[in-house]
Amino acid sequence: MRTTKLTITLAIIVLGFCGCKTSHKAAESKNSPLTGTQWQLRSISSQPVAEDSFTSLPYIIFNDDGTFVGNLGCNSFFGTYYQKKQKMTVDFTGATKKLCSEMDSERAFLKGLKAGITTFNITDRTLTLYAGKEEVLVFKDEGKFLEEE
């Protein structure tokens, strides 16, 4: 009987910890974490992005599994990344190859992704990617959080 009570008590404690972790993760989502957020492109090499220079506003989404996906404005892209604290490396893997009306803006965004990202910073719902000390890409969280599975 004592073993059963001990087992039930341990099960309740374990479930309690799992519940706390889930609610903590949901709370983090409201503070624009790197992952689970659709980051809208706002500038490339300190130059503001003109929304009319893209078919649709470009974005990037970093996933918990070390992959990223996004849209260059017309073409979709994907790759992998490694992040530890504020350090980051980005490995662009590929993109679709649709012929779009405005390719210069897409090329500039793609060049930024391939620029050798080394660090990032998130402040006031803004994600900035750096290559060394140079600001390469700036994104804004427009509040479009992804549903967690």
Side-chain angles (χ1 to χ4, degrees):
M1 184 64 137
R2 184 176 171 120
T3 306
T4 304
K5 285 183 181 180
L6 182 60
T7 303
I8 291 171
T9 303
L10 287 173
I12 290 170
I13 291 170
V14 168
L15 289 174
F17 280 121
C18 290
C20 291
K21 185 177 180 182
T22 302
S23 63
H24 179 66
K25 190 169 187 176
E28 286 178 344
S29 293
K30 294 177 183 169
N31 295 323
S32 299
L34 178 65
T35 62
T37 300
Q38 182 172 314
W39 296 102
Q40 300 286 328
L41 182 65
R42 291 294 177 227
S43 72
I44 303 170
S45 297
S46 301
Q47 298 298 314
V49 171
E51 291 186 32
D52 61 351
S53 64
F54 294 95
T55 304
S56 63
L57 195 59
Y59 66 87
I60 192 167
I61 300 168
F62 293 95
N63 300 309
D64 288 330
D65 65 358
T67 61
F68 64 85
V69 296
N71 189 286
L72 294 166
C74 176
N75 286 290
S76 298
F77 66 92
F78 56 96
T80 58
Y81 74 99
Y82 174 77
Q83 175 257 323
K84 184 173 183 180
K85 295 186 181 184
Q86 299 306 110
K87 303 283 185 196
M88 173 185 271
T89 57
V90 173
D91 184 20
F92 175 82
T93 304
T96 58
K97 296 183 184 225
K98 293 187 259 180
L99 182 58
C100 307
S101 59
E102 177 50 58
M103 297 300 291
D104 291 339
S105 299
E106 286 205 6
R107 284 186 199 103
F109 183 16
L110 191 56
K111 182 179 177 183
L113 283 174
K114 295 178 177 181
I117 304 300
T118 57
T119 58
F120 75 98
N121 186 39
I122 299 175
T123 306
D124 297 326
R125 297 171 63 158
T126 300
L127 167 65
T128 306
L129 302 181
Y130 298 92
K133 294 184 180 187
E134 181 184 344
E135 179 183 289
V136 179
L137 299 168
V138 176
F139 300 87
K140 184 77 175 173
D141 165 21
E142 299 298 336
K144 298 176 183 174
F145 294 103
L146 304 175
E147 295 295 322
E148 294 188 37
E149 295 179 25

